[in-house]
Amino acid sequence: MESFAYQVFLTPEEGGGFSTEIPDLPGCYSQGDDIKDAVEMAADAGKTYIAALMKDGESIPGATVREVPEGDREAWVFFETDESYIVDGPVVSAAQAARDLGLSAGRVTHMLDAGLLEGYREGRRTWVTTASVEARKAAPVAAGRPRKAATA
Protein backbone atom coordinates (compact mmCIF):
# COMPACT_ATOMS: atom_id res chain seq x y z
CA MET A 1 0.00 0.00 0.00
CA GLU A 2 1.38 3.39 -1.00
CA SER A 3 0.73 6.80 0.58
CA PHE A 4 -0.26 9.95 -1.29
CA ALA A 5 -1.02 13.60 -0.48
CA TYR A 6 -2.60 16.07 -2.90
CA GLN A 7 -3.82 19.65 -2.86
CA VAL A 8 -7.59 20.04 -3.21
CA PHE A 9 -9.58 23.08 -4.29
CA LEU A 10 -12.97 23.50 -2.62
CA THR A 11 -15.46 25.63 -4.53
CA PRO A 12 -18.52 26.86 -2.59
CA GLU A 13 -21.77 26.01 -4.41
CA GLU A 14 -24.77 28.38 -4.57
CA GLY A 15 -27.15 25.84 -3.05
CA GLY A 16 -24.69 24.96 -0.28
CA GLY A 17 -21.89 22.49 0.00
CA PHE A 18 -18.67 22.39 -1.95
CA SER A 19 -17.43 20.88 -5.19
CA THR A 20 -13.85 19.61 -5.12
CA GLU A 21 -11.04 19.23 -7.60
CA ILE A 22 -7.63 17.63 -7.26
CA PRO A 23 -5.78 19.57 -9.97
CA ASP A 24 -2.86 17.12 -10.19
CA LEU A 25 -5.34 14.33 -11.08
CA PRO A 26 -7.10 15.52 -14.27
CA GLY A 27 -10.84 14.88 -14.09
CA CYS A 28 -10.79 13.97 -10.38
CA TYR A 29 -13.83 15.82 -9.01
CA SER A 30 -16.20 15.25 -6.12
CA GLN A 31 -18.55 17.17 -3.84
CA GLY A 32 -19.71 17.32 -0.25
CA ASP A 33 -22.41 18.85 1.92
CA ASP A 34 -19.89 20.74 4.08
CA ILE A 35 -16.10 21.18 4.19
CA LYS A 36 -15.47 17.99 6.17
CA ASP A 37 -17.67 15.91 3.87
CA ALA A 38 -16.13 17.51 0.76
CA VAL A 39 -12.57 16.76 1.93
CA GLU A 40 -13.49 13.16 2.79
CA MET A 41 -15.13 12.69 -0.61
CA ALA A 42 -12.11 14.25 -2.36
CA ALA A 43 -9.80 11.83 -0.55
CA ASP A 44 -11.97 8.89 -1.63
CA ALA A 45 -12.04 10.16 -5.23
CA GLY A 46 -8.24 10.52 -5.21
CA LYS A 47 -7.84 7.07 -3.70
CA THR A 48 -10.01 5.54 -6.43
CA TYR A 49 -8.29 7.54 -9.18
CA ILE A 50 -4.78 6.46 -8.11
CA ALA A 51 -5.85 2.82 -7.58
CA ALA A 52 -7.25 2.75 -11.13
CA LEU A 53 -3.96 4.12 -12.50
CA MET A 54 -2.06 1.44 -10.59
CA LYS A 55 -4.35 -1.31 -11.85
CA ASP A 56 -3.90 -0.12 -15.44
CA GLY A 57 -0.11 0.17 -15.04
CA GLU A 58 -0.12 3.91 -15.72
CA SER A 59 2.19 6.48 -14.16
CA ILE A 60 1.02 8.33 -11.07
CA PRO A 61 1.22 12.14 -11.15
CA GLY A 62 3.25 13.79 -8.43
CA ALA A 63 1.77 16.38 -6.12
CA THR A 64 2.39 20.05 -6.80
CA VAL A 65 1.41 23.25 -5.03
CA ARG A 66 -0.73 25.57 -7.13
CA GLU A 67 -2.23 29.00 -6.70
CA VAL A 68 -5.71 28.72 -5.19
CA PRO A 69 -8.34 30.15 -7.57
CA GLU A 70 -10.13 33.24 -6.28
CA GLY A 71 -13.18 32.34 -4.20
CA ASP A 72 -12.00 28.76 -3.59
CA ARG A 73 -10.60 27.23 -0.44
CA GLU A 74 -7.65 24.90 -0.18
CA ALA A 75 -7.16 21.62 1.66
CA TRP A 76 -4.74 18.73 1.41
CA VAL A 77 -5.85 15.11 1.41
CA PHE A 78 -3.79 12.15 2.51
CA PHE A 79 -4.70 8.57 1.65
CA GLU A 80 -3.22 5.13 1.18
CA THR A 81 -4.24 2.90 -1.70
CA ASP A 82 -3.23 0.10 -4.01
CA GLU A 83 -4.78 -1.58 -7.03
CA SER A 84 -6.89 -3.90 -4.84
CA TYR A 85 -9.13 -0.89 -4.08
CA ILE A 86 -10.66 -1.28 -7.57
CA VAL A 87 -13.35 -3.94 -7.61
CA ASP A 88 -14.25 -5.61 -10.90
CA GLY A 89 -17.66 -6.97 -11.87
CA PRO A 90 -21.25 -6.38 -10.78
CA VAL A 91 -22.05 -5.40 -7.21
CA VAL A 92 -25.03 -5.39 -4.84
CA SER A 93 -25.67 -3.29 -1.76
CA ALA A 94 -24.53 -4.61 1.62
CA ALA A 95 -28.21 -4.92 2.57
CA GLN A 96 -28.91 -7.11 -0.48
CA ALA A 97 -25.79 -9.20 0.22
CA ALA A 98 -27.03 -9.67 3.80
CA ARG A 99 -30.43 -10.87 2.54
CA ASP A 100 -28.77 -13.21 0.02
CA LEU A 101 -26.48 -14.69 2.68
CA GLY A 102 -29.02 -14.73 5.52
CA LEU A 103 -26.87 -12.42 7.66
CA SER A 104 -27.13 -8.97 9.20
CA ALA A 105 -25.79 -5.98 7.28
CA GLY A 106 -23.32 -5.45 10.13
CA ARG A 107 -21.97 -8.97 9.69
CA VAL A 108 -21.52 -8.33 5.97
CA THR A 109 -19.45 -5.23 6.83
CA HIS A 110 -17.30 -7.31 9.20
CA MET A 111 -16.83 -9.92 6.47
CA LEU A 112 -15.71 -7.20 4.05
CA ASP A 113 -13.21 -5.87 6.59
CA ALA A 114 -11.91 -9.41 7.21
CA GLY A 115 -11.51 -10.08 3.48
CA LEU A 116 -14.18 -12.81 3.42
CA LEU A 117 -16.20 -10.79 0.90
CA GLU A 118 -15.02 -8.33 -1.75
CA GLY A 119 -16.48 -4.86 -2.07
CA TYR A 120 -15.99 -1.19 -1.38
CA ARG A 121 -17.50 1.82 0.32
CA GLU A 122 -18.76 4.79 -1.65
CA GLY A 123 -19.65 7.63 0.66
CA ARG A 124 -22.13 6.13 3.12
CA ARG A 125 -23.01 3.16 0.92
CA THR A 126 -21.31 -0.23 0.93
CA TRP A 127 -21.19 -2.44 -2.15
CA VAL A 128 -20.34 -6.15 -2.34
CA THR A 129 -19.36 -8.04 -5.49
CA THR A 130 -21.93 -10.58 -6.62
CA ALA A 131 -19.07 -13.01 -7.33
CA SER A 132 -17.95 -12.97 -3.68
CA VAL A 133 -21.56 -13.40 -2.48
CA GLU A 134 -22.02 -16.40 -4.80
CA ALA A 135 -18.67 -17.89 -3.75
CA ARG A 136 -19.61 -17.51 -0.08
CA LYS A 137 -23.00 -19.16 -0.67
CA ALA A 138 -21.31 -22.09 -2.44
CA ALA A 139 -18.72 -22.65 0.31
CA PRO A 140 -19.85 -24.84 3.21
CA VAL A 141 -19.61 -22.89 6.45
CA ALA A 142 -19.38 -24.60 9.81
CA ALA A 143 -21.57 -23.29 12.62
CA GLY A 144 -19.97 -21.11 15.28
CA ARG A 145 -16.82 -19.08 15.34
CA PRO A 146 -13.49 -20.38 14.04
CA ARG A 147 -11.07 -21.64 16.64
CA LYS A 148 -8.11 -19.43 17.51
CA ALA A 149 -5.64 -21.94 16.05
CA ALA A 150 -7.48 -21.82 12.73
CA THR A 151 -7.34 -18.03 12.54
CA ALA A 152 -3.70 -17.60 13.61
Side-chain angles (χ1 to χ4, degrees), residues 93-106:
S93 68
Q96 182 61 50
R99 286 190 291 274
D100 292 347
L101 294 169
L103 303 169
S104 70

Side-chain angles (χ1 to χ4, degrees), residues 38-64:
V39 170
E40 288 173 354
M41 296 303 285
D44 187 58
K47 183 176 183 174
T48 304
Y49 190 104
I50 296 295
L53 291 176
M54 291 173 151
K55 189 166 186 124
D56 293 340
E58 297 182 30
S59 63
I60 299 168
T64 61

Side-chain angles (χ1 to χ4, degrees), residues 146-152:
R147 296 176 192 258
K148 285 187 179 185
T151 60

Side-chain angles (χ1 to χ4, degrees), residues 72-152:
D72 283 5
R73 296 183 184 185
E74 172 190 35
W76 281 78
V77 292
F78 170 82
F79 54 86
E80 295 180 327
T81 194
D82 61 26
E83 65 186 51
S84 68
Y85 191 68
I86 302 299
V87 175
D88 292 322
V91 294
V92 295
S93 68
Q96 182 61 50
R99 286 190 291 274
D100 292 347
L101 294 169
L103 303 169
S104 70
R107 179 67 182 133
V108 167
T109 301
H110 289 289
M111 292 174 77
L112 282 165
D113 292 342
L116 300 172
L117 292 172
E118 293 180 358
Y120 60 94
R121 290 183 178 89
E122 182 179 56
R124 296 182 185 114
R125 305 252 353 216
T126 301
W127 302 97
V128 183
T129 64
T130 55
S132 68
V133 171
E134 293 304 318
R136 188 69 183 175
K137 285 170 42 177
V141 180
R145 295 178 181 250
R147 296 176 192 258
K148 285 187 179 185
T151 60

